[in-house]
DNA sequence: TCGATTTTTGTAATCGATTACATCTTTTTG
DNA sequence: CAAAAAGATGTAATCGATTACAAAAATCGA
């Protein structure tokens, strides 16, 4: 069994089909790519030969000649985060429908892993790149920015107008989150961030600050905990929270995973949600529906973000980008559910 | 801005590098692929030219000539299921380290979506296929089985010896699950299945039945609910559960998502876990750590499954498959946690 | 130093499609 | 019905690498 040859089935080439149909390879190629350039009779003849032989064009050869690969690289910060998995689904739907294949690049939250995908994408001549990591990937050798490749950012915008961005109204929603908590009577707040320095984090934090100001509060009225979009960030935020003498009662987490990690940790420590502390998340991942109580959060149209990003990229690839659609911002929906409630009576 | 040409950067070809270094293209190629076949002095010369020009080989051309694409197709039943996302991480780690790219195929639980990936994979000349969907994909045109392409199944085995399988001890664990519940005093059981007919489901159900028998029970002592590995399967199982006059007290779900969906639904209806009903899951996804109480479940080495599957596939591709490693079964670990407890007193 | 041997390099064929251009057929038009 | 126009098909160049084979250069031994 070892040292066995696997690719045993003989490949059928376009020349074989041509011979079978009694035409030239050019005609076969035309039948498959431009059916209207060929006589119906010939068309039928060739199609029959294709069917009989079970011919599938070798895209490797086609790619070389046409200088297109019908392949797109999708870079995700972390595939096990359901946000990105969900966006990827939308991307996949749109792209496979149009005959494109997807190469996934999973960074696992480590920026240094970008490099391998830059080289991969450039050497494989992908037709375009979808970025969910909030920056244009770099490798020591070559920058993806200089390559002239069509790129679109999703979820986390890349500011500077270099690429179209498909995002949600991060700032407005974050602001609304604080206002919502303030309306419920909360007077001291907590903010669980994303990765400091990323644009998406700046947007959400700015919105949070706006909300704080709009509700008449200031710098001294909130605590901020930092970390990437992961459960563990919520866990460490909660550990810090539990050590505080004067604990915030209204928490806004910039992602659902953090919110859930926070809730689990404080609940285990005997703090009740929402009686003692209210938590509001961001994302609307499916799992948020299954914790008890159900998470109050902003629902992103994740699947639609993926589709919109893919569609935008396809337009860029086809060279017919509509400038009016350079940036797309999709709406969010606040799901008012179980983890938020009236602020506890002070000293209650 | 519209109708703009994107690929503006001139591509550097091997001929350019050759000219720059004053050697032939053959030499450049050799420097990059077989450095020991070339004089150190020439090597340095060429490397300098490569560096100066920023040359990256065009893999499209290379693929055509070498008849390898260094690309693997990974078929997942549903990417938003963290089980598969996690396995994919392991696959990605192993493959990108070896210079392979990954094309993902997401079935979203719909078998008919297989077809597009069969065609995609065959026309793109992928070097191998990793299957997590428990069957060899088919399209009307051509079967992936007849292609002679190296394939490896992960998670859900494909019986019949056609492909190597990388799995866990599904049957033994399922059996142990029932025995564990029986030990806790449970006398009436529930089983939440996977997709009926799949091998993985048969394994887990067989194990469940073995456990039932081993504990001295029979057909009349359990209820079975069917559905794919999703939250919603657990939800509908719970709805059915709630309608029963005589409810089981020991539930085994063949996947964590179902378990979590079940728990959430019965909890909302006022049934207490684990006081009224014990639930034990299967998978050990990260979410399971964050529900309250923490889910009792079998932890799969998901990342390792991915790595092992990828390594096996690489060996097949290289034609040095060790028959002893045809099937790999990795161990599971029972995490005894919060959702299981002693059976409630009858009529309590 | 000279011929034999080994190592290094170059030339040109090759992978399998697409497509510009040429040629041959068919259709249209006056 | 002939000439012109339009349409269908074929021939061969092309994409950019790898690699078999040939040729050249370097090394070795006597």
């Amino acid at each position: 069994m070892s040292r066995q040859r696997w690719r045993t089935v003989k490949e059928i080439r376009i020349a074989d089909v041509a011979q079978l149909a009694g035409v030239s390879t050019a005609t076969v190629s035309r039948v498959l790519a431009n059916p209207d350039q060929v006589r119906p009779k010939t068309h039928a003849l060739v199609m029959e030969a294709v069917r009989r032989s079970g011919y599938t064009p070798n895209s490797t050869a086609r790619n070389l000649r046409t200088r297109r690969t019908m392949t797109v690289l999708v870079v995700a910060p972390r595939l096990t985060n359901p946000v990105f998995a969900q966006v990827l689904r939308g991307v996949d739907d749109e792209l496979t429908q149009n005959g494109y294949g997807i190469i996934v690049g999973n960074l696992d939250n480590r920026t240094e892993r970008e490099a391998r995908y830059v080289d991969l994408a450039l050497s494989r001549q992908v037709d375009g790149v979808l970025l969910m990591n909030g920056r244009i990937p770099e490798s020591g050798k070559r920058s993806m920015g200089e390559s002239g490749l069509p790129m679109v950012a999703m979820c986390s915008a890349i500011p500077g107008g270099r690429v179209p961005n498909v995002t949600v109204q991060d700032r407005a929603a974050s602001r609304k989150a604080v206002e919502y908590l303030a309306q419920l009577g909360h007077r001291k707040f907590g903010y669980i961030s994303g990765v400091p320095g990323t644009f998406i984090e700046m947007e959400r934090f700015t919105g949070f600050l706006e909300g704080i100001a709009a509700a008449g509060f200031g710098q001294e009225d909130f605590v901020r905990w930092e970390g990437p979009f992961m459960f563990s960030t919520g866990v460490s935020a909660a550990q810090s929270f539990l050590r505080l003498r004067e604990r915030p009662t209204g928490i806004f987490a910039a992602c659902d995973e953090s919110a859930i990690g926070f809730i689990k940790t404080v609940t285990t420590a005997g703090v009740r949600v929402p009686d003692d502390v209210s938590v509001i998340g961001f994302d609307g991942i499916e799992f948020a529906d299954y914790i008890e109580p159900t998470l109050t959060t902003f629902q992103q149209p994740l699947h639609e973000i993926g589709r919109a990003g893919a569609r935008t990229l396809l337009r860029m690839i086809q060279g017919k980008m509509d400038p009016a659609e350079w940036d797309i911002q999709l709406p969010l929906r606040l799901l008012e559910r179980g983890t938020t409630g009236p602020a506890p009576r002070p000293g209650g």
Side-chain angles (χ1 to χ4, degrees), chain A:
Chain A
M1 193 73 74
S2 94
R3 273 276 155 215
Q4 173 175 347
R5 294 210 39 78
W6 294 103
R7 196 72 61 81
T8 50
V9 176
K10 190 193 173 297
E11 288 294 331
I12 294 113
R13 301 182 331 285
I14 197 171
D16 303 323
V17 178
Q19 191 173 28
L20 206 64
V23 299
S24 75
T25 61
T27 301
V28 176
S29 176
R30 278 189 281 253
V31 166
L32 265 31
N34 308 80
D36 46 331
Q37 273 179 33
V38 63
R39 257 218 315 264
K41 204 179 121 188
T42 319
H43 183 272
L45 210 66
V46 170
M47 285 312 280
E48 173 60 14
V50 166
R51 206 194 48 71
R52 288 226 327 261
S53 61
Y55 170 68
T56 314
N58 180 328
S59 18
T60 273
R62 172 186 296 169
N63 292 345
L64 176 57
R65 177 63 225 237
T66 61
R67 307 169 138 283
R68 286 179 301 125
T69 52
M70 301 295 278
T71 302
V72 160
L73 173 73
V74 183
V75 178
R78 194 167 59 93
L79 262 184
T80 41
N81 184 329
V83 170
F84 303 115
Q86 200 72 47
V87 174
L88 186 60
R89 263 188 68 220
V91 168
D92 185 57
D93 282 353
E94 192 72 26
L95 289 186
T96 54
Q97 218 158 47
N98 286 278
Y100 280 78
I102 297 176
I103 295 189
V104 283
N106 175 31
L107 300 181
D108 253 329
N109 278 343
R110 282 175 296 166
T111 308
E112 69 274 17
R113 283 183 57 141
E114 284 176 359
R116 71 175 76 176
Y117 296 112
V118 174
D119 296 339
L120 195 87
L122 293 179
S123 85
R124 276 160 199 263
Q125 319 279 114
V126 300
D127 294 338
V129 182
L130 285 165
L131 299 168
M132 298 198 264
N133 58 329
R135 35 173 279 150
I136 294 175
E138 314 255 359
S139 90
K141 273 175 162 179
R142 291 172 68 179
S143 155
M144 197 162 255
E146 295 161 12
S147 69
L149 264 179
M151 291 187 286
V152 173
M154 300 182 298
C155 299
S156 186
I158 301 177
R162 300 173 69 191
V163 303
N165 294 304
V166 179
T167 53
V168 290
Q169 294 156 1
D170 294 292
R171 206 155 88 202
S174 300
R175 177 184 168 140
K176 192 165 151 191
V178 186
E179 290 175 347
Y180 181 73
L181 290 169
Q183 262 168 32
L184 286 167
H186 296 276
R187 297 280 166 266
K188 190 150 170 58
F189 304 88
Y191 175 77
I192 308 180
S193 83
V195 176
T198 58
F199 190 72
I200 192 171
E201 162 55 19
M202 283 162 57
E203 283 291 286
R204 292 188 185 171
F205 188 54
T206 305
F208 175 84
L209 288 178
E210 285 175 9
I212 288 288
F217 297 101
Q219 202 69 30
E220 64 287 355
D221 298 311
F222 71 88
V223 189
R224 176 188 157 121
W225 298 287
E226 290 182 353
F229 290 152
M230 294 174 77
F231 286 117
S232 57
T233 297
V235 172
S236 36
Q239 287 161 345
S240 160
F241 166 92
L242 291 167
R243 282 193 301 269
L244 291 176
R245 275 168 288 101
E246 198 194 349
R247 294 177 182 162
T249 63
I251 309 291
F252 171 55
C255 93
D256 280 355
E257 286 204 7
S258 309
I260 291 166
F262 181 91
I263 290 168
K264 170 70 177 179
T265 309
V266 299
T267 303
T268 305
V271 174
R272 291 163 306 159
V273 176
D275 302 335
D276 299 326
V277 60
S278 284
V279 179
I280 179 165
F282 202 116
D283 287 342
I285 61 177
E286 202 181 5
F287 186 51
D289 304 344
Y290 292 97
I291 62 167
E292 186 61 38
T294 314
L295 184 68
T296 297
T297 189
F298 289 93
Q299 185 165 47
Q300 297 197 48
L302 295 170
H303 192 264
E304 185 48 40
I305 290 174
R307 294 191 71 109
R311 275 197 302 268
T312 305
L313 186 68
L314 289 180
R315 272 199 294 273
M316 286 182 82
I317 290 172
Q318 290 155 13
K320 46 184 175 196
M321 185 64 194
D322 183 347
E325 295 193 344
W326 187 260
D327 280 338
I328 297 175
Q329 264 207 346
L330 297 169
L332 287 157
R333 201 155 61 92
L334 174 59
L335 304 176
E336 304 181 25
R337 305 195 294 195
T339 56
T340 42
R345 295 278 206 67

